[in-house]
Every structure is written in structure tokens, then in C-alpha cells.
Amino acid sequence: MSTDGIGSVDSFREYLDRLSDHGQCNRIEERISWNLEASAVTMQANECDTQIPVFEDVSDTSDSRLVGDPYRGPRGKPWKRIAMALGLTDVKTTDGYYEEIIDRVRSPLSPTVIDDDDAPCKDTVRTDDFDLLSFPWPFLHVGDGGRYSNLHTLIAADRDTAWTDWSSHRAMLHDNTRASVLLLAGEQTPNIYYYKYERHDEPMPVAIAIGAEPAVECVSAMWIPTGRDEAEFASGLKREPVELVQCESNDLLVPATAEIILEGRILPNSRLDEGPYGDYFGYMHGPRRSMPVLEIDAITHRDRPYIPFRVEWSEVGYAHNTTSSMEVACVGPDATLGLRAAGFDVEKLAPWPFSPRTVYVISTATSRPDKLHELANFIFTTWGMLHVDFFVFVDEDVDPFNQRAVLEAIALHADPDTDFHQFGAESMPKVPLNIYQTPEEKGDVQMGTSKSKTAKTYIDATRPDGAERRTGGLNMDGERRERVREILETAGIDNKRGEPVKTGLGESQ
């Protein structure tokens, strides 16, 4: 696929420059506070679907800057800004975007390791006399338990193999050297910590890359299989090697163009308070709980570093931010590829727009109940689906991003007696971030899991074998449609809303 001669960006600040070149970046020179102000401006920008805010002057800081929800895409195409970062400027539809990302993820490349002198993240190196709170970590919501870094890549090495995992786990800052990290057992990095390092009473060496290049952030959100090298997938995603450099205080390799690298150890059998926090489900998550302690050993950073952050907690159905956009742009294509690779006849997996990790919809050519149950069982036992309790299956000719089409499929084809399925009540752990749980159900403070188990649920909204597709509304052939448009134009009526909409993302396929 052509990319109009524009390649992937190589750093976060190059991405911001590309946004600026396209008029999609709002560089705010007026001084602003990290204490609620930056998040308030960002949430307003999110709700208005306007430019990405870059705060060039943050009060009471050194020389650091903030960027609010940098990967939030336009409402019509949540994947558009990530596509821009990857050089996919000629991709016009969601289908086209999915297939291009799937093609790139299929073709991993080896990263490149460079010397310290060539790594921008080493502009400043501090192995002692550093202060974690000298950076303007934002205080995001009135009810939050503290200030957070919540848009970054956490890098951790497996204790027993050569595998290094890249993931995203928020960190609440406590003092000049310590933070608590949300590690929920069942996910890859938490499992490495709880079941390997902590069981041997050993600290887990980690690094947090803040403001890494977009390809790194994308892969950190994807469901890369355990044991596979995320750096290779990030390189494949950008179609050229990602540059890595070794840490100062441990052997981990980190993205060389990142804005800030926090190096440290997650200590065994040590906990600090974490939360409450305005979470991606759309509401304030609590109660306050204990999470593992990150002890910082070194900090390196670029000159005048940018700190990206995301603002969640906008109520279910209204969330429009980096989280929801990356679910569509990163998780959707990657999970679609994963299901196809496992042998399932899947057209597309679609995170429900504006409600991250609440409901997923899968379009598939499979309609046999036994095959759908097999597919559902595979999904619900995959680590990447730990957070999702609800799935809807629709036919391959139904656009899973079109919420109206999905609801129509449920209304027409989902029999409450036979097509609503629950299973796994005795074996599947609940994630304590689910809002429907009571405080008592939320948890095991030792490993971040819920005290109770859950029944995952899926709805079979596919048509029965042999059933014809039903179409509602007024059906018109092309000639009659053109005649209707002429009549409306003659009457002086704006006919733009009369255009057919084939997807829930505002574009025609």
C-alpha cells in the first residue's frame, strides 16, 4: 500500500511536529498547572473533538512539558492520527487500516541497538541526586489518590528466559524515588512479577519509557503472544528498525528516542497505596488498595522532555481519548490477526466505540452454535481478554463498528432463550476495575485480583443458517435516490445527512 512517500515517525516529538504540520496540534504557550488544569483542558478538547493540546509552559516545574491524549483520533476515524504517525496517509477506511496494520504485524523486524552518545533519551543522565517529583506529573481528577504517569511503556525481563515484555501499567507517584504500579495478576508483566520474582523474593528490574515513539506505544497496547519480542513487532509496524539503548542501572534495552526513561526495581513483598483513579470504564475506580512498589535507581531524559498523559473517566458511552482510540487502532487489528492465526473465520474484531474494554463485537462467517462457543471459549481464556466480560457475534456482512447495525442484529436474531450464553463462573477471575462489583468483591490486595469469579457472557446475533438478511427502512434504487436528492436540492434543503452511512465511524466503505 502506498504511503505517499511519508514514512513512520521516529520519535514522539517528531509525531507532534507531524500533527502540527497538519493543523492538528494546539501548542499552548500560556502557563498552566499540572494540578487539574492540564487535564481539564484536555478533557474539553476531547469532548469537542478538536486539536491535541500541548502545554509548553507548566507551572512549578523544571523545563518539562505536557501533552494531553496525544493519540486520540477524530470521532469519525479513531485510528487516523496513529495511521498518520505510521505514514499511512492514504488509508481511507477502517477496513483498509485494519488490513494494513495486520500486514505489518505479520512482518516483524529486528531492532537496532545504538550507543549512549547517539541516544536522545540520554541527553541528561542522573544515577543519583534525582527527584521523581521534579517532573510535572499531572493530577488528573479531583478524586484521584495522587499524581500519575499513565501513558508509557513498562519494560520488564522475564526471570527465567531471554524474553522482555512491553506493556502499559499506570504508576502513582509517592515521593522522589518511589511509585506504586497497578499490576493485575493474569496479565503478562504482573504474572512475571508475582509468580517468578516475588516467589523467589527478588526485585524485578524494570524501565518505564515515557514519550516513546508511536510504534512502541502501539505495540505496548497490543496482545503480543508471551515469549515474542515486542521490539521486533514495533519495528515491523513502522517498517524500519526501532532504535534501542541499554539502561544505566540494569541490562534492559529501552527506546532510544523516548522523552524520559525511569529505571528501577519493583520490590518483592512490598506495597504502597494506589488509587482511587478515574478509570477507562468511565467512572472513579476505588477503593484505595495496595500495589507493588517501584523504587527508582536512575532517570535519563531528553532536553525539555514532553510527558504525554491520558484523561479517562468521561462516563461509559462518552469516553473519547487515547485509550478508546488505541483500542480501535491497535488492539482491534492485532486481535483480529490473532483469531485468524488460531484458525477462526473472523472478519473483524471491533472494540465498542467510546467505551474501552466494555463490549467487543466480532463479525464472522461462522454461525454454528458449537463453533461460536469454541470461538468464545478461546477468546475468554486469552490473557488479553481479561478485562472484557461481554462479546457480541454478528455476521460477516454486518459492520461491527456500526452500533445501530449491531443492535439491529441483536433485535432480529438473538433469542434470549438460546442465544445469550454464560460460562466460566467458577474459573475466570474478575478484574477489580469493573464498576459493577462491590468494594468487598474487589479484592485481593496482594495480587490485584478480585475475590470473586465471573461468568463471561456472549450474544449470538448471527443469522440462522439459510436465513436471508433483512433490511429495514425505505429501499431505493440509484435512479430514485438521485431523483430524491434533486427534489431536496430544489427545495433548498441540505441533503448531506441523506448520504448513506455504512459504518459507525462516519465513512463509506
Side-chain angles (χ1 to χ4, degrees), residues 124-198:
T124 297
V125 176
R126 297 187 183 278
T127 56
D128 54 24
D129 192 29
F130 53 78
D131 183 359
L132 191 57
L133 296 183
S134 66
F135 296 92
W137 314 106
F139 186 67
L140 297 167
H141 317 106
V142 171
D144 283 353
R147 298 161 65 182
Y148 275 89
S149 175
N150 70 353
L151 180 53
H152 56 231
T153 298
L154 191 150
I155 300 165
D158 184 65
R159 180 183 180 275
D160 303 324
T161 70
W163 173 51
T164 297
D165 186 36
W166 289 4
S167 58
S168 180
H169 302 274
R170 70 181 187 236
M172 190 176 94
L173 292 308
H174 282 263
D175 53 39
N176 63 338
T177 64
R178 298 183 306 163
S180 52
V181 183
L182 181 70
L183 296 180
L184 302 177
E187 299 175 323
Q188 288 173 318
T189 291
N191 283 352
I192 293 172
Y193 169 74
Y194 290 120
Y195 299 119
K196 294 189 176 184
Y197 284 98
E198 190 166 60

Side-chain angles (χ1 to χ4, degrees), residues 1-46:
M1 176 174 289
S2 168
T3 58
D4 295 343
I6 301 176
S8 298
V9 298
D10 295 322
S11 68
F12 181 70
R13 55 182 65 191
E14 187 179 332
Y15 168 64
L16 295 182
D17 289 340
R18 185 167 290 183
L19 289 182
S20 295
D21 291 343
H22 288 80
Q24 298 183 30
C25 190
N26 179 16
R27 295 185 181 271
I28 299 171
E29 301 293 342
E30 179 181 352
R31 174 164 289 193
I32 197 163
S33 174
W34 52 259
N35 186 7
L36 297 177
E37 286 188 357
S39 63
V41 172
T42 300
M43 182 174 285
Q44 185 67 22
N46 293 352

Side-chain angles (χ1 to χ4, degrees), residues 66-294:
L66 293 174
V67 185
D69 271 311
Y71 298 111
R72 184 243 315 156
R75 290 185 188 274
K77 298 178 180 179
W79 44 266
K80 186 173 182 179
R81 290 189 176 111
I82 290 176
M84 183 185 302
L86 298 176
L88 303 178
T89 56
D90 65 342
V91 176
K92 305 301 181 185
T93 68
T94 304
D95 285 344
Y97 174 82
Y98 259 56
E99 292 309 315
E100 177 65 18
I101 295 300
I102 286 171
D103 182 62
R104 292 187 177 202
V105 173
R106 282 196 182 110
S107 306
L109 297 172
S110 296
T112 299
V113 179
I114 65 174
D115 295 331
D116 288 8
D117 292 343
D118 298 322
C121 71
K122 304 276 192 177
D123 286 347
T124 297
V125 176
R126 297 187 183 278
T127 56
D128 54 24
D129 192 29
F130 53 78
D131 183 359
L132 191 57
L133 296 183
S134 66
F135 296 92
W137 314 106
F139 186 67
L140 297 167
H141 317 106
V142 171
D144 283 353
R147 298 161 65 182
Y148 275 89
S149 175
N150 70 353
L151 180 53
H152 56 231
T153 298
L154 191 150
I155 300 165
D158 184 65
R159 180 183 180 275
D160 303 324
T161 70
W163 173 51
T164 297
D165 186 36
W166 289 4
S167 58
S168 180
H169 302 274
R170 70 181 187 236
M172 190 176 94
L173 292 308
H174 282 263
D175 53 39
N176 63 338
T177 64
R178 298 183 306 163
S180 52
V181 183
L182 181 70
L183 296 180
L184 302 177
E187 299 175 323
Q188 288 173 318
T189 291
N191 283 352
I192 293 172
Y193 169 74
Y194 290 120
Y195 299 119
K196 294 189 176 184
Y197 284 98
E198 190 166 60
R199 283 190 176 179
H200 288 84
D201 197 29
E202 296 175 3
M204 180 171 73
V206 299
I208 293 180
I210 298 156
E213 61 181 288
V216 170
E217 293 290 357
C218 288
V219 168
S220 300
M222 290 178 172
W223 307 347
I224 304 301
T226 298
R228 299 297 300 274
D229 187 345
E230 270 108 341
E232 293 183 354
F233 285 95
S235 299
L237 199 58
K238 64 181 292 192
R239 290 278 169 89
E240 61 182 275
V242 168
E243 291 186 341
L244 305 176
V245 67
Q246 186 172 317
C247 284
E248 298 292 318
S249 61
N250 58 47
D251 295 331
L252 293 171
L253 297 176
V254 296
T257 65
E259 296 292 317
I260 301 173
I261 301 292
L262 305 180
E263 303 178 14
R265 297 153 293 130
I266 298 184
L267 306 178
N269 303 302
S270 181
R271 301 291 188 266
L272 282 172
D273 286 347
E274 196 278 331
Y277 176 76
D279 222 323
Y280 60 79
F281 279 103
Y283 294 90
M284 181 61 62
H285 163 68
R288 197 171 179 89
R289 58 192 300 130
S290 297
M291 280 287 121
V293 177
L294 168 62

